[in-house]
Amino acid sequence: MYGKCTRYRVKGIPGVKDRSFDALQDAKTWLAQAQTDARRGEFVDPRDGAISLKDYIATHWWPTQSGDPSTLERIEQRVRRHIVPHLGALPLNSVGTEVLRSWKKRLEKDLGPTSIRLVWATLSSVLQAAVEDRRLARNPCRARTVRPPAAAPGRVEAWPPERVLAVRAALPERYRVLVEIGAGLGLRQGEAFGLSMEDIDFDEEVVHIRRQVKMVRTKLCFALPKGRKVRDVPLPSSVAKSLRRHMELFAPVPVTMPWDDPSPPQTPVEAKHRRPRTYNLLVTGRERKAINRNYFNSYVWKPALSEAGVIAALEESAPDGSRVWEPSREHGYHALRHFYASEQLEAGESVVSLARWLGHSDPGFTLRKYAHFLPRAGARGSSAIDAVFA
């Protein structure tokens, strides 16, 4: 510690930047605390946390993010829409529990619990990176006194077979086979759109799930299935018959698109990875291209739901010309996947097999999600006991 005129400078602590003080006692107090924290590897200089949250995200956090392009797109949207507008101007070290309580209350005006939890997790990731960069001492998103809202209660409900058939009948004929693919094979929407003729092995009665059609920044591309998990699914004879009939009416169409990311590659490695690939898609739109999920959901799927009486009819368009249907998230294409799961479990298939067919990495997740589709499990156990003691 060095004194000069009326200022006192603390210097010489490894890994700690010099700092000046007006009062000697303040310098001594800070020196003792800094030395203790430095020995523990916990020293955080408040000056490093003075950068604004917006600048930290833009210059230090976002450039280091990598992963699936569509996942990164969703993260960027959360940051741009819900984090930076409200918290971006604040210094990192001023984002505390009081600020988070106010921010949470603001989010609750526009978002549901699930969306708030996703935004919260994104901010927590940013602040945890700041902790590890020695800009913050702790992550306020992990405090006990302020937490994201609890997950919304509820459980998955399966459509009855009559509804599945009614929606199928309401679809244009070129899209009807998508119902068999979703309800009979358990595919996700993107996987159904990406299914090709070569993926179907009629002799072995199996379908190979190798890719999906994915949207990244409004453009389509091919990619591995969710979780990068390829898998095989049993092919029921009734579904095989529907697939054959569909191919007789609508021949598979060769479609060429980039792989994994449609944006222009910046390096030779990216160019090799994203090179366009061609597959003979089983289902395409009227223009013989891969199906755009936004178009399909708004102009094909929801009109079929309406005709089948699942949702209300579209009364009028919004002022900007967009089509505004009643909220119907639980009746999206994914409802066919839930139907598939319910039918498999009620037929006595094991949770482990179902998890493999659905592409779940953890059978425990499958059990938690679909356990209520096992209404007869208790009865079977009771029957076994009765057989012993009767």
Side-chain angles (χ1 to χ4, degrees):
M1 186 165 62
Y2 302 86
K4 183 176 181 182
C5 298
T6 59
R7 300 279 293 172
Y8 297 87
R9 174 177 292 181
V10 179
K11 62 186 301 184
I13 305 175
V16 177
K17 292 186 287 187
D18 298 353
R19 185 167 181 179
S20 298
F21 295 87
D22 292 327
L24 177 60
Q25 186 57 45
D26 291 341
K28 289 181 177 180
T29 301
W30 188 85
L31 172 61
Q33 185 64 51
Q35 288 175 327
T36 300
D37 291 345
R39 285 195 298 269
R40 294 175 178 172
E42 300 174 354
F43 179 79
V44 175
D45 194 320
R47 291 168 292 185
D48 293 333
I51 184 174
S52 71
L53 178 62
K54 177 181 179 181
D55 288 344
Y56 177 75
I57 291 174
T59 59
H60 298 281
W61 184 76
W62 182 249
T64 65
Q65 299 303 297
S66 61
D68 181 78
S70 58
T71 301
L72 291 177
E73 182 181 16
R74 290 191 293 270
I75 292 174
E76 187 275 334
Q77 289 174 351
R78 293 173 205 148
V79 171
R80 174 168 45 85
R81 295 175 180 176
H82 305 297
I83 296 178
V84 169
H86 305 304
L87 306 176
L90 298 175
L92 269 178
N93 53 19
S94 71
V95 180
T97 54
E98 182 177 359
V99 169
L100 292 182
R101 280 191 287 269
S102 299
W103 178 62
K104 175 186 173 184
K105 187 174 182 179
R106 187 177 300 171
L107 290 181
E108 288 172 343
K109 297 179 180 179
D110 303 315
L111 302 176
T114 300
S115 297
I116 293 176
R117 290 176 67 86
L118 291 171
V119 175
W120 192 282
T122 300
L123 178 62
S124 182
S125 176
V126 173
L127 297 181
Q128 186 59 33
V131 171
E132 295 171 6
D133 289 346
R134 300 292 181 86
R135 293 178 179 273
L136 290 178
R138 60 187 59 84
N139 182 353
C141 284
R142 298 183 177 181
R144 295 182 179 180
T145 58
V146 56
R147 306 291 297 170
R155 64 179 189 174
V156 170
E157 298 293 341
W159 282 2
E162 297 77 15
R163 178 175 292 175
V164 173
L165 296 177
V167 171
R168 182 188 183 280
L171 287 169
E173 190 167 23
R174 70 179 308 110
Y175 298 116
R176 287 178 184 171
V177 75
L178 289 171
V179 173
E180 279 91 343
I181 293 173
L185 301 176
L187 272 62
R188 301 177 178 93
Q189 186 180 60
E191 295 167 348
F193 293 167
L195 190 66
S196 76
M197 178 178 63
E198 294 80 9
D199 299 328
I200 304 169
D201 190 330
F202 290 103
D203 295 331
E204 296 296 327
E205 298 182 335
V206 67
V207 176
H208 307 291
I209 314 305
R210 296 164 169 157
R211 78 195 67 81
Q212 64 171 315
V213 171
K214 184 172 66 173
M215 179 179 289
V216 181
R217 294 179 291 275
T218 73
K219 296 183 179 180
L220 301 181
C221 63
F222 291 119
L224 288 173
K226 184 178 179 180
R228 311 185 76 80
K229 296 181 181 67
V230 297
R231 64 191 190 277
D232 294 339
V233 177
L235 176 61
S237 58
S238 59
V239 177
K241 182 178 179 181
S242 296
L243 293 175
R244 289 184 186 276
R245 179 177 180 277
H246 174 82
M247 286 190 286
E248 291 174 358
L249 295 174
F250 306 96
V253 177
V255 174
T256 302
M257 294 192 299
W259 182 263
D260 206 37
D261 191 340
S263 60
Q266 303 298 318
T267 67
V269 173
E270 290 182 349
K272 181 178 180 180
H273 178 70
R274 300 178 190 177
R275 62 179 175 80
R277 307 184 187 189
T278 301
Y279 299 102
N280 295 304
L281 296 188
L282 201 65
V283 186
T284 57
R286 290 177 299 178
E287 297 179 351
R288 298 174 60 83
K289 297 180 181 178
I291 300 175
N292 181 304
R293 69 172 187 236
N294 291 338
Y295 173 84
F296 178 83
N297 292 338
S298 184
Y299 291 91
V300 178
W301 184 253
K302 289 188 177 181
L305 293 180
S306 175
E307 185 175 336
V310 180
I311 63 174
L314 182 69
E315 295 183 359
E316 57 184 22
S317 299
D320 61 358
S322 61
R323 297 160 65 87
V324 182
W325 295 88
E326 70 172 75
S328 55
R329 182 179 179 87
E330 70 276 17
H331 298 307
Y333 185 84
H334 216 71
L336 300 178
R337 185 170 159 89
H338 298 327
F339 173 83
Y340 173 82
S342 71
E343 292 296 305
Q344 294 292 338
L345 291 176
E346 290 185 5
E349 290 290 354
S350 73
V351 172
V352 173
S353 296
L354 178 61
R356 184 171 65 251
W357 299 335
L358 292 175
H360 293 166
S361 58
D362 177 17
F365 171 81
T366 310
L367 180 61
R368 290 190 297 273
K369 193 174 185 69
Y370 297 117
H372 57 286
F373 290 142
L374 295 166
R376 292 192 294 271
R380 290 198 300 269
S382 297
S383 299
I385 298 298
D386 290 342
V388 174
F389 293 104

